[in-house]
Amino acid sequence: MGTRPLLNRRLDGLGTTIFAEMSALATATGSINLGQGFPDTDGPREIAEAAARAVLAGHGNQYPPGPGIPELRQAVAEHQQRFRGLSHDPDSEVLITAGATEAIAATLLALLEPGDEVIAFEPFYDSYAACIAMAGAVRVPLTLRAPSFRPDLDELRSLITPRTRLLLINTPHNPTGLVLTPEELSAIAALAVEHDLLVVTDEVYEHLVFTGAHHPIAALPGMRERSIAISSAGKTFSFTGWKVGWVTAAAPLVAAVRTAKQYLTYVSSGPFQYAVAEALRLPDEYFDGFRAELLRKRDLLADGLEAAGFRVFRPEGTYFITTDITPLGEKDGIEFCRTLPERCGVVAIPNAVFYDNVEAGRPLVRFTFCKRVEVLEEAVTRLSRI
Ligand code: PMP
Ligand code: GLN
């Protein structure tokens, strides 16, 4: 095959995702997996039954409609109204995708020209770098720095150039747990309007906010026509394998994203779409109970990590805790995570892999707390021995 590398230059260096690598390490070593963010118990039984019923009734077993089944688009629109006070036309302003991952890919592939600059908070969720690269665009990181991880909005302004096309925001933020305040969102929105930028918000942890509240940027002046919100059922309903996500935005933006989405998966998750339509209509007790349970688990793991000697940045949202391993006499999170399974039988994720500016993330390590209480307790016991 000659000397030309098989993997194209755009994807050079992206290799295997850290989540796959660390989950494989957990399996190989029999470790407790506090790395990849997936729960070890499934979501509500009645929602699983709704999926099973849909399969048996022949709902969604053949290609569903390209934009998603009408029942789910309607349920997403109702959810946006109920929780965010935003009204969306289910036919033209909602698009169902194969998880938030496809929504991110389709959005970036649809909206970016090669050479466009995308400003995103780093640490970045890993698929952002890959999708920006696949679109031939250029990522420009705004580094979130410990201990607060709050974005420096003057720095954000200074990063905007005539080539900037899009701001890619994630709130609540994986892996730091940052939740943007209304003031921060307003400042970001004002910059977007001033510089005529698009804003994509990844809101997959929207129902896991422990401090403050989740606010949609789309509600702010001038943002309805320039913002695209992305969310998914995976985290909120603890069915990460179903891969049902959605995009909500003004009709011209949804039409653009739909064009790209048609040629990625075309459609996906037929029967699960029926089940997620039911899930989105669950009563408030479900959403409140889910958040309260995860809050207890956050504190269990955070207290345990603190007792074990980690510096803990208690997250405002998400189901991840970022820690600093420096107080343990450690410097390098990647090295630390590679050896942690053999040292104590726990797997974690090194935040450094989510940074261009690797130094800012070098001593930081992420643990997830979306696991059963007894699993978290055992993990804490093991970590206290390192
Ligand atoms: N964005 C962020 C910030 C995530 O943590 C994840 C992982 N759930 C995704 C997107 C992907 O979501 P999905 O599993 O729905 O594709
Ligand atoms: N969102 C999950 C995490 O951050 C992982 C999803 C994936 O494996 N791509 O852990």
Side-chain angles (χ1 to χ4, degrees), residues 17 19-20 35-38 101 125-126 174 205 235 320 366:
T17 89
F19 306 116
Q36 193 175 24
F38 63 90
T101 304
Y125 180 60
D126 66 346
N174 175 10
Y205 300 100
K235 306 291 167 168
F320 304 109
R366 187 194 88 174

Side-chain angles (χ1 to χ4, degrees), residues 284-296:
D284 288 352
E285 295 77 66
Y286 170 74
F287 297 91
D288 294 342
F290 176 62
R291 187 176 52 247
E293 182 190 335
L294 269 296
L295 177 58
R296 278 195 301 280

Side-chain angles (χ1 to χ4, degrees), residues 70-223:
E71 293 85 337
L72 179 54
R73 282 185 277 116
Q74 178 66 39
V76 168
E78 283 170 20
H79 172 276
Q80 290 303 87
Q81 184 72 59
R82 171 178 164 199
F83 290 101
R84 313 284 160 238
L86 295 171
S87 92
H88 287 282
D89 171 27
D91 292 329
S92 60
E93 298 186 318
V94 178
L95 174 68
I96 306 306
T97 56
T101 304
E102 190 200 26
I104 293 161
T107 300
L108 297 178
L109 289 169
L111 301 177
L112 295 171
E113 290 289 355
D116 280 348
E117 291 177 3
V118 176
I119 302 177
F121 294 164
E122 74 167 2
F124 315 99
Y125 180 60
D126 66 346
S127 85
Y128 300 173
C131 292
I132 293 168
M134 287 192 274
V138 179
R139 64 177 187 268
V140 176
L142 175 68
T143 308
L144 304 179
R145 293 178 193 283
S148 77
F149 298 111
R150 304 232 72 91
D152 179 337
L153 297 167
D154 293 327
E155 191 181 342
L156 174 58
R157 174 182 286 280
S158 76
L159 294 175
I160 296 172
T161 76
R163 289 178 304 283
T164 309
R165 174 65 170 158
L166 191 148
L167 306 179
L168 177 49
I169 310 286
N170 171 213
T171 182
H173 182 259
N174 175 10
T176 65
L178 171 85
V179 174
L180 292 177
T181 62
E183 293 71 30
E184 286 164 338
L185 287 165
S186 294
I188 293 168
L191 283 174
V193 170
E194 181 185 337
H195 296 275
D196 195 20
L197 307 176
L198 297 167
V199 180
V200 176
T201 53
D202 175 344
E203 309 183 12
V204 300
Y205 300 100
E206 61 180 301
H207 287 287
L208 281 178
V209 176
F210 311 120
T211 309
H214 178 74
H215 298 282
I217 205 164
L220 296 172
M223 293 310 290

